[in-house]
Amino acid sequence: METAYVIVTIVAALWVGFSAFSLLRRAAFVVDPLVEYGVPRNWWTPLGVAKAAGSVGMLIGLWVPVIGVAAAIGLILYFTGAVVTVLRARSYKTVAFPVLYLVPVAVALGLGFAA
């Protein structure tokens, strides 16, 4: 079980880190939907930093579990907010994208408690 926890946590952290990097560098595939959803541009950098911090926190959590738990909970809240934002924008065809980040983080958190 511990091996699965480590692997899922690393993959989830890298996946979220990729998302943070893409937002911070203003990749079109990330920022174009944000414009469509009505997310203000001045929020983009703080949102990217929050994702990056959560990603790093999950990795640190492999050695300091309380930090990993806090990071995972923060990211779960972040991506739940992203799902709500997409649904409020009535962009039902893209709601799967924030879920693709939410699920691995939630699984990593669950495996951490099980390990």
Side-chain angles (χ1 to χ4, degrees):
M1 184 69 80
E2 184 150 341
T3 302
Y5 161 66
V6 170
I7 291 170
V8 171
T9 298
I10 291 170
V11 169
L14 292 175
W15 183 235
V16 171
F18 166 75
S19 177
F21 174 77
S22 299
L23 177 54
L24 291 171
R25 75 174 193 85
R26 305 294 194 254
F29 71 93
V30 176
V31 297
D32 289 349
L34 293 179
V35 171
E36 178 185 332
Y37 306 151
V39 177
R41 290 181 193 268
N42 62 341
W43 290 15
W44 295 359
T45 298
L47 291 173
V49 170
K51 283 196 268 191
S55 175
V56 170
M58 286 185 69
L59 293 174
I60 292 171
L62 293 171
W63 293 276
V64 185
V66 70
I67 292 176
V69 169
I73 290 171
L75 287 171
I76 288 168
L77 293 172
Y78 178 99
F79 289 115
T80 299
V83 168
V84 170
T85 299
V86 172
L87 292 175
R88 289 189 67 198
R90 299 178 190 246
S91 183
Y92 305 115
K93 67 184 185 299
T94 61
V95 76
F97 296 117
V99 172
L100 289 173
Y101 294 96
L102 173 65
V103 169
V105 172
V107 170
L109 180 62
L111 287 172
F113 283 125

